[in-house]
């Protein structure tokens, strides 16, 4: 179990993978790394000076519920029918396009046995040559790829997460400058208009592609909705429980009310540490005060949250197996063994797709109240990107050809192109039911090629076949985003953080679990923070402060 939110887990994972690959290939690419240039935030001092692509929203599809510039996503109650045909011809020239991608699903059938892959090649006008790697194998596979210096056209490891580092490299900005294409001439300002679907990507997502004073990748955007506390509304109603506590005491009370171990039912699938931290006004990672960064871990609010959540664990309202590795927390939520779970908004449609409770299944969102009452607390904004994709250095003609293919891959929701890319061919890979596509077994196995991690359209709020669930998700996000707080380091780079985030995260997570499970007292936290600072936390602080000063934002 981890007590961190999903946005935190992704950052910790980045560092963990980096560390694993660095161990496998010590010193890899040191020649273009930290030894020959400035270290830390200085490697990226000029990032803020680049002019990002001008944002031109796609207007070919009208959402049912419109988002806003603050980060509220558009919502669709059903997939537009007929879907809009957004392109007139295949973007490719018939030649190969190679990419190194990951999958969190079983590896799909190879091209010769995969009708979806064949149809995608046809629509692209390209021979997609994909190296599809399970996420668990990514550190070793990517380190081997880089060590051999035989890079594909498109480099799409999960390790290219924002603020993150490709496995085994000593310094991300220097590695990008040495091996990857500066896309600034093709995408900066109005230049992006040649690729209208890339121009449709939100500005905030492009900030994570800035390195060395240029644009070094294409973003895979995600909404900034952050971690939500999802609630089984059908079961809350059945039990007559308060769906929206007004303070921590009421939250504890409702957790105790809905828990019944004899009925195999607990309030929480995971310890709600981040939820309680938000009640107390504790930041996600950093708070900026007078130009200085203060870590969330250094605040008294963090210790208070640890004490409160340790009490909840002692109360027995957290699922007793949640401290196990790879605990099936989402299955508990779907089965009704846990009635509350923190997760990203992207899990909302996943829960409905895996619904086993029948038509009465209903999800809502619980907002964090101020700890002592008197209103709602602010939530945290999430990272605006999932990852970004770098291009191998090539001549102008080749780069433009690749950008045309990637532009097609970024076709927006509501288009034929999006529907094909995500769901495949109607009748073969999916069927339309209740206004939304539902994958067939062939669709489940064949469509997980990993191309959505090359580049993606802006996310939308959409639960296929469940318009009311879509509306509730939209309304929940609309309630939290106006006051959501953005971490001051988002979109900025720290070399130490990119190398040590996994190690630093392990220090924090292990201590959290020890304290929450009662193995250590809350008073042990001060020593943990000292260890975190000396291991790299203070150096991360310095590098991020330098990056903030030079960001130009």
């Amino acid at each position: 179990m981890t007590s961190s939110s999903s946005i935190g887990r992704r950052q910790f994972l980045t560092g963990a993978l980096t560390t694993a690959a660095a161990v496998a290939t010590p010193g890899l690419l040191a020649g273009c790394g930290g030894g020959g240039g400035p270290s830390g935030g200085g490697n990226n001092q000029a990032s803020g000076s680049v002019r990002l692509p001008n944002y031109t929203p796609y207007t070919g599809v009208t959402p049912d519920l419109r988002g806003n510039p603050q980060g509220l996503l558009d919502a669709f109650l059903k997939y537009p029918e007929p879907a809009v045909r957004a392109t007139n011809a295949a973007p490719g020239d018939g030649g190969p396009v190679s990419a190194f991608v990951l999958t969190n699903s079983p590896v799909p059938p190879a091209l010769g046995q995969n009708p979806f892959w064949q149809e995608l090649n046809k629509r692209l006008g390209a021979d997609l040559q994909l190296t599809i790697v399970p996420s668990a194998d990514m550190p070793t596979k990517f380190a081997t790829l880089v060590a051999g210096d035989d890079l594909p056209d498109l480099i799409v490891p999960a390790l290219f997460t924002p603020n993150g580092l490709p496995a085994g490299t000593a310094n991300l900005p220097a590695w990008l400058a040495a091996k990857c294409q500066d896309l600034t001439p093709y995408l900066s300002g109005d230049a992006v208009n040649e690729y209208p679907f890339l121009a449709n990507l939100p500005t905030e997502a492009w900030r994570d592609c800035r390195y060395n004073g240029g644009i070094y990748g294409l973003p895979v955007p995600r909404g900034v909705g952050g971690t939500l506390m999802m609630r089984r509304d059908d079961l809350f109603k059945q039990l007559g429980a308060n769906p929206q506590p007004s303070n921590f005491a009421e939250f504890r009370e409702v957790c105790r009310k809905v828990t019944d171990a004899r009925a195999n039912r607990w309030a929480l699938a995971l310890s709600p540490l981040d939820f309680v931290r938000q009640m107390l006004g504790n930041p996600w990672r950093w708070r900026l005060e007078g130009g200085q960064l203060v870590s969330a871990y250094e605040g008294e609010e963090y210790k208070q949250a640890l004490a409160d959540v340790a009490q909840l664990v002692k109360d027995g309202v957290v699922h007793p197996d949640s401290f196990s590795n790879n605990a099936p927390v989402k299955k508990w939520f779907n089965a009704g063994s846990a009635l509350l779970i923190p997760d990203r908004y992207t899990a909302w449609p996943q829960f409905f797709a895996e619904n086993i409770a029948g038509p009465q299944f209903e999800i809502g969102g619980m907002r964090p109240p101020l700890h002592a009452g008197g209103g709602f607390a602010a939530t945290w904004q999430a990272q605006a990107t999932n990852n970004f994709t770098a291009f191998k250095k090539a001549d102008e003609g080749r780069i433009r050809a690749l950008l045309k293919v990637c532009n097609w891959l970024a076709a927006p929701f509501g288009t034929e192109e999006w529907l094909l890319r995500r769901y495949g061919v109607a009748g073969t890979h999916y069927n339309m039911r209740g206004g939304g596509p539902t994958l067939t077994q062939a669709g489940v196995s064949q469509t997980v090629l990993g191309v959505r991690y090359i580049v993606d359209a802006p996310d939308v709020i959409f639960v296929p076949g469940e318009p009311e669930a879509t509306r509730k998700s939209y309304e929940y996000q609309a309630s939290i985003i106006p006051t959501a707080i953005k971490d001051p380091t988002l979109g900025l780079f720290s070399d130490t953080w990119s190398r040590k985030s996994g190690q630093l995260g392990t220090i924090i997570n292990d201590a959290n679990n020890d304290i929450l499970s009662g193995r250590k007292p809350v008073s042990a936290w001060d020593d943990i923070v000292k260890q975190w600072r000396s291991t790299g936390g203070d150096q991360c602080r310095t590098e991020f402060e330098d990056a903030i000063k030079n960001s130009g934002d």
Side-chain angles (χ1 to χ4, degrees), residues 19 32 172 262 286 315 377 443 485:
T19 302
C32 67
L172 176 56
R262 293 171 298 179
W286 301 96
D315 288 344
I485 297 174

Side-chain angles (χ1 to χ4, degrees), residues 195-211:
Y195 315 100
F197 301 147
L198 298 183
N200 179 52
L201 303 184
T203 300
E204 198 64 26
W206 288 104
R207 297 187 192 281
D208 289 317
C209 302
R210 300 177 300 175
Y211 291 89

Side-chain angles (χ1 to χ4, degrees), residues 38-46 493-496 539 542-544 546-547 550:
S39 62
N43 287 311
N44 205 23
Q45 285 185 359
F493 178 78
S494 157
D495 182 60
T496 301
Q539 186 62 30
T542 298
E543 292 170 4
F544 275 131
D546 287 345
N550 294 287

Side-chain angles (χ1 to χ4, degrees), residues 103-413:
T103 181
N104 292 309
S105 304
V107 174
L111 175 61
Q113 293 78 45
N114 193 326
F116 168 73
W117 194 339
Q118 296 165 17
E119 181 64 21
L120 185 60
N121 278 356
K122 179 181 176 181
R123 290 292 299 271
L124 283 172
D127 176 17
L128 276 182
Q129 299 179 355
L130 304 175
T131 301
I132 305 172
V133 181
S135 56
D137 298 334
M138 183 60 79
T140 301
K141 296 289 187 182
F142 188 72
T144 301
L145 177 79
V146 175
D149 205 25
D150 183 19
L151 298 177
D153 297 313
L154 305 171
I155 308 162
V156 198
L159 317 193
F160 265 171
T161 49
N163 302 338
L165 181 70
T169 60
N171 179 286
L172 176 56
W175 190 88
L176 290 170
K179 302 294 181 181
C180 300
Q181 184 69 41
D182 181 358
L183 299 174
T184 307
Y186 309 97
L187 299 175
S188 179
D190 288 334
V192 76
N193 291 336
E194 187 171 341
Y195 315 100
F197 301 147
L198 298 183
N200 179 52
L201 303 184
T203 300
E204 198 64 26
W206 288 104
R207 297 187 192 281
D208 289 317
C209 302
R210 300 177 300 175
Y211 291 89
N212 305 309
I215 300 168
Y216 272 83
L218 302 182
V220 173
R222 293 289 181 265
V224 299
T227 298
L228 319 175
M229 182 61 82
M230 298 184 184
R231 180 185 61 220
R232 280 290 301 268
D233 277 359
D234 53 328
L235 298 178
F236 261 69
K237 290 175 183 177
Q238 180 181 319
L239 296 169
N242 177 11
Q244 184 55 69
S246 62
N247 54 45
F248 175 76
E250 287 188 9
F251 176 70
R252 182 184 178 194
E253 179 182 345
V254 75
C255 287
R256 295 167 75 174
K257 178 180 177 65
V258 302
T259 296
D260 185 348
R262 293 171 298 179
N264 193 36
R265 186 180 68 238
W266 289 266
L268 293 148
L270 291 167
S271 70
L273 181 59
D274 288 350
F275 192 65
V276 178
R277 287 173 59 200
Q278 290 172 342
M279 292 185 193
L280 290 158
N282 191 239
W284 170 29
R285 289 197 309 221
W286 301 96
R287 176 189 289 121
L288 192 62
E289 296 181 355
Q292 306 295 312
L293 288 173
V294 178
S295 169
Y297 310 134
E298 296 169 319
E300 287 299 315
E301 318 99 298
Y302 201 102
K303 287 196 290 186
Q304 179 64 54
L306 284 171
D308 288 340
V309 177
Q311 183 60 58
L312 291 173
V313 174
K314 189 175 181 180
D315 288 344
V317 300
V318 180
H319 197 291
D321 296 330
S322 63
F323 285 85
S324 305
N325 290 329
N326 301 314
V329 293
K330 292 187 178 184
K331 290 183 178 180
W332 296 339
F333 184 73
N334 268 81
S337 295
L339 275 60
L340 293 165
I341 187 171
D343 213 323
R344 288 290 312 271
Y345 69 92
T346 49
W348 203 290
Q350 179 187 354
F351 285 128
F352 276 89
E354 298 173 357
N355 168 31
I356 60 174
Q360 71 269 21
F361 184 75
E362 186 180 0
I363 296 177
M366 182 182 288
R367 295 181 64 181
L370 290 171
H371 192 271
F376 293 113
T379 57
W380 304 325
Q381 282 192 18
Q383 196 93 30
T385 52
N386 184 75
N387 62 280
F388 75 91
T389 296
F391 286 41
K392 180 178 68 174
K393 283 190 175 182
D395 60 47
E396 180 177 347
R398 182 59 176 164
I399 295 301
R400 290 195 180 280
L402 292 171
L403 284 169
K404 287 176 65 177
V405 170
C406 289
N407 180 68
W408 191 97
L409 292 173
F413 182 93

